């Protein structure tokens, strides 16, 4: 659970930092290279006047332009970058079409095979966008989660170290978490009195107090997620 949470990346913050650092800009562009490639393939399939490498270069330049023009106060980076990329790419396609004295309809004259290939690539791009969006929302949840952990004197680093590594042990602790969640008195003690009642939990679970004390950090963190508004983090403690 914790390793996956800690690795979540805030793209907006990276884009802001990339405005001031060419190295960070290159790193961000590198991470989005599969997305750039898929868009380039999609456009080159739709519009026969443009080649894949040519349009990919335009998209990469547009992505860099988006980094330089991004303002976090106006929204998330990825939707903004897509708008810049689309505008610059369509401008390029129109320019190429005019130069070659050909009319390139932006949404027509595609063969059924090209349409299917383009649709598949569009699905890839959309999936990457959805993955990014979930990662960004997950990052927001992590910030809230960390704040709640701090009220118990717990850090993500501590939680990572003290979380059970073996599935059998995790499953036994999840059983404890379910039993606590079903016991209003114990749950009230934890939530309102900010106290982890080891003896009471031992009575309803049958587990030794020492074992429960060792699992205190993991159980508390899991309860915070289970009882709170954590749509994405809750997947990491799913049964």
């Amino acid at each position: 659970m914790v390793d996956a949470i800690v690795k979540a990346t805030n793209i907006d913050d990276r884009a802001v930092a990339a405005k001031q650092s060419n190295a960070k800009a290159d790193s961000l562009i590198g991470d989005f290279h599969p997305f750039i490639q898929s868009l380039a393939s999609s456009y080159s399939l739709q519009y026969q006047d443009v080649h894949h490498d040519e349009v990919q270069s335009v998209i990469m330049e547009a992505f860099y332009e988006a980094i330089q023009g991004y303002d976090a106060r106006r929204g998330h980076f990825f939707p903004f970058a897509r708008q810049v990329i689309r505008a610059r790419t369509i401008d390029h396609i129109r320019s190429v079409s005019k130069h070659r004295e050909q009319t390139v309809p932006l949404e027509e004259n595609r063969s059924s095979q090209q349409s299917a290939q383009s649709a598949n690539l569009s699905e890839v791009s959309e999936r990457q966008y959805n993955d990014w969006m979930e990662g960004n929302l997950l990052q927001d949840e992590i910030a809230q989660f960390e704040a709640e952990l701090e009220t118990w004197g717990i850090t993500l680093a501590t939680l990572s170290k003290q979380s059970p590594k073996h599935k059998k042990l995790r499953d036994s602790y999840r059983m404890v978490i379910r039993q606590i969640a079903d016991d209003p008195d114990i749950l009230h003690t934890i939530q309102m009195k900010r106290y982890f009642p080891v003896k009471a939990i031992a009575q309803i679970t049958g587990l030794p107090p020492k074992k429960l004390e060792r699992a205190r950090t993991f159980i508390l963190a899991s309860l915070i997620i289970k009882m709170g508004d954590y749509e994405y983090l809750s997947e990491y403690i799913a049964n």
Side-chain angles (χ1 to χ4, degrees), residues 90-196:
I90 289 179
D91 284 348
H92 175 75
I93 292 169
R94 286 173 173 161
S95 175
V96 170
S97 301
K98 183 178 181 180
H99 178 72
R100 294 176 183 173
E101 296 182 346
Q102 295 179 359
T103 301
V104 181
L106 295 183
E107 299 296 339
E108 300 174 359
N109 295 335
R110 285 178 284 176
S111 69
S112 58
Q113 182 179 4
Q114 288 174 330
S115 296
Q117 290 174 315
S118 176
N120 288 336
L121 288 167
S122 295
E123 288 177 7
V124 171
S125 299
E126 188 66 26
R127 189 161 58 248
Q128 288 176 328
Y129 170 76
N130 290 336
D131 289 345
W132 168 83
M133 182 60 76
E134 288 185 5
N136 197 56
L137 293 174
L138 175 60
Q139 186 70 23
D140 291 340
E141 287 191 2
I142 290 169
Q144 180 181 337
F145 180 53
E146 284 186 289
E148 289 203 58
L149 285 178
E150 286 179 5
T151 66
W152 287 92
I154 301 171
T155 65
L156 282 179
T158 302
L159 177 57
S160 180
K161 290 179 181 179
Q162 297 185 8
S163 294
K165 308 304 182 209
H166 300 292
K167 184 178 184 303
K168 185 176 181 180
L169 188 56
R170 286 198 304 271
D171 289 343
S172 69
Y173 291 157
R174 283 170 179 157
M175 178 67 72
V176 172
I177 293 164
R178 286 197 298 271
Q179 289 175 299
I180 292 174
D182 290 337
D183 191 305
D185 292 335
I186 293 179
L187 198 59
H188 177 79
T189 298
I190 293 173
Q191 290 180 315
M192 305 306 296
K193 298 183 179 180
R194 317 296 295 172
Y195 170 69
F196 188 71

Side-chain angles (χ1 to χ4, degrees), residues 38-58:
S38 71
L39 276 185
S41 297
S42 178
Y43 279 117
S44 61
L45 281 170
Q46 291 181 56
Y47 314 121
Q48 297 180 4
D49 278 356
V50 295
H51 299 291
H52 179 277
D53 292 345
E54 178 185 345
V55 74
Q56 180 171 305
S57 177
V58 172

Side-chain angles (χ1 to χ4, degrees), residues 65-85:
E65 179 185 341
I67 291 174
Q68 297 306 310
Y70 176 60
D71 184 347
R73 294 170 298 180
R74 297 184 178 180
H76 294 301
F77 171 71
F78 194 80
F80 171 71
R82 286 189 65 145
Q83 291 178 358
V84 175
I85 288 169

